[in-house]
Structures are given as C-alpha cells and as structure tokens.
Amino acid sequence: MKNLPTLDLAVIVVYLGAMLLVGWYFSRKNKNAEQFTKASGQIPGWAIGISIYATFLSSNTFLGVPGKTFGGNWSAFVFSISMPLAAWVASKYFVPFYRSTGQISAYTHLEHRFGAWARTYAVVCFLLTQLARMGSIFFGVALTLQALTGFSMKMIIISMGICIIIYTVLGGIEAVIWTEVGQGIVKTLGAFLIIYIIVTNVPGGIGKITAIGLHDSKFSLGSFALSFKEPTFWVVLLYGFFINLNNFGMDQNYVQRYHTASSSRQAVKSIWLCVVLYLPASLLFCVIGSGLYAFYQVHPELTEAIRQQAATEHLPTNATTAQIAQAAAQLTPADYGDKVMPNFMVSKIPAGLVGLIVSAILSAAMSTISSGMNASATVFSVDIYKRYFKPDMNDKQTLWLLHTATVVAGIAGLIAGIAMIGVKSVLDMWWQLSGIFAGGMLGLFLLGMISRQTRNREAILAVVIGILVILWMTLSDLLPQEYAMLRNPLHQNMIIVVGTLTIFLAGVILTKLRQKNKSEVQLTSKTV
C-alpha cells in the first residue's frame, strides 16, 4: 500500500480482525436455523434500533451524501425528512402484522393472500434490490480505498467481500446486529472527526464555510417548484417516503430484525430509535459535503487534481495531457463529487486518524452488506429452495443451506460492485436501481394489505400493468429521437412512486369493476 502509513494500516487490520473475532464468537451459538435467522428473539430493542440505524448509515450515506451535496444541494436530507411518516405507518400496521404471523420471511403471507407467484415475485424484487444495494456499497468503498492505497478497485472489492462473507456466515443475524451496534458508533464518531478536520482546514472556519455555502446555494433543499421532471424537493420527498416505507414495511433486512426483538413493543421502539439517530446523522453528512465544497473553493489547486483524475477514467490510457485538460475543464462538481472525500482524506487527515476513518467507512459498508447477505440467504432458503425444491429439510440441512446461500449472496454482491466501476454518482445509481426494483414489490404488498376484496386475477393483472409502466419509465430514454414524445417525462426518482401507485390503483379499479359486473349480473338474474 503506497499511501497509507503503517499506523493507519494497523488500525484497519485490527478493526477487520475484531469483526472476524465477533463472527467466531457468535458462531458458537449458531447451532440451528432459528438462531442464525432470529437470534431466538432475545435481542433488546435499543440494540436493534442502532442496528437498523447502522444499516441506513451505509457507505452510500458516508460517501454518497457528501458527494451529492458537494455537486448539488441538501436534497439527500429531504430523503430523510420523509422517514418519520414512513416509520409511523410501519410501527402502526406492519410490525404488529409481522409479529402476529410469526413467519421469518416478509413475503410468505403474499402466497396466502394471492398465491405462490406473488411470494416469488416479491422475493425476486427483493433479491435484485439487495444486489443493487450491495454492489453500490462495494463500489463506493473501493473508490475511497483506491485513492488511499493505490490498489485496484477489483482487488479491494474481492478482499473486502471475503472478509464480510466469513464473519456473516460464522455469526448469523446476532453477530450482524451486535457488530452493527459497534459500527454505528464508529461511523458517527468518524463523521464528527471529519467535520472537525474540515473546519480546521478552512481559513475562517465555520463562518467562511457558511458564507461560501450560502453564496453557492449549498444549503438548499432543492427547488420547491411543483415539477416532477427534475429532482425537486417534492420529487425527493415522495421518493424518500416510498423507499422508507418499503424499507420499514417489507424489506427483509428490517422485518427480520423485528423477529429478533423480545416483543412487538421493543420492535416498534427500534424503528423510532433509528429515526431519531438517522435524521441528525444524515444532516451531519450534508454538512460534511458543504464543508468539503468550501474547502475546495479555498484550495482550487486540489480541485484541479480531482477533475483530472475523474477525466482520465473516461479517456483512453494513451490520452495526451492536452486531452485530459480539455476533458477536465468540461466537468462540473456533480461529475466528481464522489471523489472529494477520498482526496481530502489523502491530503489533509493526519496519520493514524485516516485508519480510524477508513475503519468507519468499512464499518458503514460491512454492516449493510452483511445484513443484506443474511436477509437474502433467509428469503432464498425459505421462499425459494424450501418452497419449491426440498420442503422437508431438517434443521441441520437448513443451517447448511443458509450458510451456502450467504456465501452466494456475498459473491453476487461483489460481482455487482465490480460491474459498477466507473459510475459517476454512487448515490444516484443506488436511488435509481432501488426505485426500479422496489416499486412493484411495495405496490403488490399494499394492494394485498389494504384492498381486502382484491383476488388473485386482479393482482396478477395489476402487477403486469405495473411492470410495463416501470419498464417504460426506465427504458424509454433509449428510444430514438423521432419517438422522443414517447419518453418518460418524469424524473427517475418517480419510478417507485408511479410504479407503486400503478399496481395498487390498477388492482383496486379492477376489483371495483369485478364487483360492479357481479352486481349487474345478480340484478339481471333477479329481474329475469
């Protein structure tokens, strides 16, 4: 490693070693499938709450939010503003429902409601969402570590993936939750440390940062215009509500944690503790982004280095200096926002502290990826393999299946991370992919929960209509110019909003039409 001092390397190695030891410690308890997936329902609510907070506070937040703020405004915080309403809905309706079913999978009840197809469809949507989430997180962390170490991003992703797979397979959900408690604390302390270093490196400190931020609208929450074609305040708010409702309401990562609590009351407490912690934390990372923007305004020579680095990634290896300079001059802050945090760490954070902050970034990645691996393994084992291939598995076989599925999920996630190398904004990529995959799943779930009269046939037609709408909104930009009028006019963040509402409303309308036709037939029969 060519840039990191020995002290920083030692801090990182100690941290990774500690994670592996935690996995080994809890492996002694994982003698059955229930312990691996539910921790026997003995985790206190406060620990689950910090665990959920740590999952939210992924490297997409740690790296993506400052990068997004650097290149734009505080729209990422608008996403967080929607959390309390989504948490209220989840705590009032979803948590009691899941606790009453006793099913470890969030999607088993969909089969009881609509049939096996609905359960499988939701699981596929969830697995694709997790693949996108893990991939974007692997990529985001590799982007930072490459700047610090000089190692290739592929090598970093593979090495980190192996470490995460080992401790997740060993420790199960209990190791995931308790390591996330520690990781949540490390990440928060790392964020405060970064803020302190930024302020001390900007001449004039907080006053100068505030002046630059106000002048360049770096504290703005976005446009309040009632438009859904751009990422306005309202678009991000709607997107945030639907994504957070999906997270709290039917994402296996969170639903599985509700089952680890000793009671429904403790599970509800965990949701609200997450909200109380994440709202100020997300604001803190927006402040970091605005602070970094001010820092690089004061040090334009460092900005030029970042621009050239970003430009070279999209040019041939034999590009001339003049070509690089020309390409760099065309870049905007939004094009290289994800690179400012790694560059700042390399140039301004003292030895020893870099290791601590890298450990915080690693913990941000590991907590989300490990929980995603555990949740993906759980739903694959319960909803796919045991449902369709071998329903009579004993407990030993089920535990082996969970271990194998965890490894496969981890490998798929790191492959997705490698595939994302070169993406301009990790946060934009994650927002777009999660909106596409989660929209259909949430719409079907709400249809089954709210419209109690909807039957299997109406649900199938509603999902088909919803999928077609989502595909059109996602792919219509590829249409040739002569068909430009057929392109999606809305911003990409509206995909989950429109997709969810399409499935729900289509199901309700089809149900009403069936009931109306039935009433007309009955009335005709009586008349005859």
Side-chain angles (χ1 to χ4, degrees), residues 356-372:
L356 177 61
I357 293 175
V358 169
S359 297
I361 295 173
L362 283 173
S363 70
M366 294 175 74
S367 61
T368 306
I369 293 173
S370 60
S371 63

Side-chain angles (χ1 to χ4, degrees), residues 16 31 37 56 83 99 125 137 200 210 247 418 457 459 524:
L16 293 175
K31 304 303 181 184
T37 57
F56 264 99
M83 286 184 70
R99 294 282 302 190
C125 287
I137 291 170
T200 55
T210 303
N247 288 338
I418 293 172
R457 185 172 62 179
T524 303

